[in-house]
Amino acid sequence: MYANALAQVFIGEGTLAARLPGTLAGVVLAAAVYRLARQLCGGSGVPLLAALLAALSPLAVSYSASAFTDMPMLALGALALAAGASGRWLASGALLGLAFASKHQALYYLPLCLALGWSVGRLDRRGLARFAAGLGAALAGLLLWDAARGGTSTFALAAVNNDPARLADLAELAPRLAAWGSHAQQLFGPVGALLIPLALAAGAHGLVRRRAPTARADAALLAYALAYALVHWLVAFNIYERYLLLLLPPVGLLAARGLGKAANAVRLPPPTSGGLSALAWLAGAGALTLALLPAALGAAAGQSPLDTERARCDGIEALAAHLNSKPVATVIYDRWLGWELGYYLGQWNDKRRVYYPTPELLAAGALALPEQGTRYFPVPADQPVEEWLEALRAAGFTVEVDLRLPRFVVYALRPPPR
């Protein structure tokens, strides 16, 4: 639409630019995992199986077409692992630095990069120096950009959004383990019940036969996966499903290795032998694809059992449109939705969003506002909101449901007469 000869585009209707990088990163991720598996496992059928697991993981599919930067971080991190495993240490360090610029969690791949390079005999002092140079150059560019952009540093924002600063309490350990275990089951969908034990078995086999380079790589992948899981269980990090994405390349590669070992156990020759062997491997890859596909398609359609942020925000466009239809300067008390609601309301919306962290502060602040107009209180449908509503009623507000959506409820708050 045009007004005063200027194009006006509502940002909530143009999310392609935000979603496209993550979608393309999902494609790059599959190719990077394939390359990494080729470096570690040679020309067997394992690289194809590993790429299929990365491409059809419901967790990866759920976050691919989203504005989260997890998928670009993961794709760049997998490329860094592949470059390190091939001895291209300058590129490996630079790619890891770019992954860190996408999301700071990429730093978790630093020990894995070095461990995989060591396991295949491609890490020496010169390689380590080149890796540090590539990583340092990328981080220097990030620091310069962060200083030039002004405002709050990205490092400060990252620390504020997820800085546990403590170990999990003893009473939290069992619920945290159950929650992470539930999320891990969705790494490969229902097939994960078979694939994850296969991955553990392949890694354990690598520990037993650690003299062979491939076995050392398996052991490094297993040690990394276990250490990552242990840290996220014992340290009070937020229990977000997307934090398991960093486990997808190592666990997927180990699962593919487990499938390869199963093929060796039945004396199936590698696909490079040609003939019936190649056909058998292709048939196995097709069967794996068919097993993974339902969960992947469900994730793409938003029907995954994963309670991702993407699923929790279903319908936020309709919520924002409803709130935008209210009169100019309407007060919206936004306790839970934050930047997501702000994005869909639009950068130049004419409403007043106010945040209060507790029911008591909300009631006091709402009562102190002298205006008699109706205010609105949007709430995720799964939030226990009754304590907040009781505080408002006790302050004299009339509380009514203004809009009910599957994921959200909007309450209209009418202040007491003065």
Side-chain angles (χ1 to χ4, degrees), residues 123-313:
L123 181 63
D124 52 20
R125 291 183 179 178
R126 183 180 178 186
L128 193 59
R130 291 172 66 83
F131 178 81
L135 180 61
L139 294 182
L142 174 62
L143 289 171
L144 288 173
W145 171 81
D146 190 56
R149 61 186 287 272
T152 306
S153 168
T154 57
F155 299 96
L157 291 172
V160 167
N161 287 324
N162 191 14
D163 181 13
R166 66 179 179 88
L167 295 175
D169 295 332
L170 189 61
E172 296 178 284
L173 292 181
R176 288 179 64 83
L177 183 62
W180 283 123
S182 175
H183 295 337
Q185 291 174 16
Q186 300 303 321
L187 197 60
F188 303 114
V191 188
L194 170 65
L195 294 177
I196 292 178
L198 271 177
L200 294 174
H205 187 260
L207 287 173
V208 174
R209 298 186 59 195
R210 56 184 178 274
R211 292 184 179 180
T214 303
R216 288 200 300 267
D218 290 344
L221 291 168
L222 178 64
Y224 172 82
L226 293 178
Y228 184 90
L230 191 65
V231 166
H232 280 73
W233 175 39
L234 297 180
V235 180
F237 288 108
N238 295 325
I239 305 176
Y240 293 153
E241 305 92 340
R242 64 180 186 272
Y243 287 177
L244 292 180
L245 282 169
L246 281 169
L247 288 177
L248 179 56
V251 175
L253 183 49
L254 282 175
R257 287 279 293 155
L259 292 171
K261 291 179 184 297
N264 291 336
V266 297
R267 301 185 182 279
L268 179 64
T272 51
S273 302
L276 293 177
S277 175
L279 289 176
W281 275 94
L282 286 175
L288 180 62
T289 301
L290 290 176
L292 293 167
L293 202 55
L297 292 176
Q303 300 168 354
S304 168
L306 289 166
D307 187 26
T308 62
E309 286 86 348
R310 176 180 167 186
R312 286 194 287 272
C313 287

Side-chain angles (χ1 to χ4, degrees), residues 6 8 19 37 66 75 101 108 137 146 153 181 214 218 251 256 305 316 319 330 337 373 391:
L6 295 175
Q8 296 182 358
R19 296 177 184 271
S66 72
Y108 286 117
D146 190 56
S153 168
T214 303
D218 290 344
V251 175
I316 198 169
L319 170 66
T330 293
L337 300 177

Side-chain angles (χ1 to χ4, degrees), residues 28-85:
V28 173
L29 172 65
V33 169
Y34 180 87
R35 176 65 177 172
L36 174 61
R38 281 294 298 267
Q39 293 295 329
L40 298 179
C41 307
S44 66
V46 170
L48 175 60
L49 300 179
L52 285 174
L53 291 175
L56 297 178
S57 164
L59 190 61
V61 171
S62 293
Y63 281 101
S64 287
S66 72
F68 290 99
T69 59
D70 295 77
M71 289 306 293
M73 176 268 294
L74 188 61
L76 289 164
L79 287 171
L81 294 177

Side-chain angles (χ1 to χ4, degrees), residues 64-129:
S64 287
S66 72
F68 290 99
T69 59
D70 295 77
M71 289 306 293
M73 176 268 294
L74 188 61
L76 289 164
L79 287 171
L81 294 177
S86 63
R88 294 180 293 117
W89 288 109
L90 184 65
S92 179
L95 286 165
L96 187 62
L98 292 174
F100 179 80
S102 299
K103 189 164 187 175
H104 296 170
Q105 280 179 304
L107 198 60
Y108 286 117
Y109 269 178
L110 175 60
L112 185 58
C113 266
L114 301 177
L116 289 179
W118 167 83
S119 70
V120 294
R122 292 194 171 98
L123 181 63
D124 52 20
R125 291 183 179 178
R126 183 180 178 186
L128 193 59

